[in-house]
Amino acid sequence: MANCGYTQETAEVSVQRGHADLISFGRPFISNPDLVERFTHGWPLNPPADMQVWYSFDETGYTDFPRYGEKVGTKL
């Protein structure tokens, strides 16, 4: 298992070359709650989350990143 700094492309190459059996994604999931769908459909990623919002004490920051096609500040 590998982690940290991988893109979809570099993760796929690492698995194909046998460098890892799987790649985990942490930081990209914070700002892209739909990361799997974005990878599957080739959709662009949201900008990386500012580390100051990773451990916020309210709904602002950690849980309010938009899914693909969703406007910022709106929920599904």
Side-chain angles (χ1 to χ4, degrees):
M1 181 171 146
N3 181 287
C4 197
Y6 284 89
T7 64
Q8 179 182 6
E9 294 79 19
T10 60
E12 289 174 354
V13 168
S14 291
V15 170
Q16 290 169 356
R17 291 184 178 167
H19 297 277
D21 292 324
L22 65 93
I23 307 294
S24 65
F25 293 90
R27 292 178 182 185
F29 262 115
I30 293 173
S31 56
N32 296 281
D34 57 346
L35 185 65
V36 173
E37 291 87 356
R38 288 175 188 255
F39 282 176
T40 300
H41 297 290
W43 298 336
L45 301 182
N46 286 325
D50 184 332
M51 290 176 74
Q52 293 184 8
V53 301
W54 288 6
Y55 302 103
S56 62
F57 296 100
D58 58 25
E59 67 279 353
T60 303
Y62 193 76
T63 63
D64 68 345
F65 293 97
R67 299 174 71 82
Y68 182 75
E70 184 179 46
K71 292 180 182 172
V72 174
T74 62
K75 289 288 191 181
L76 291 177

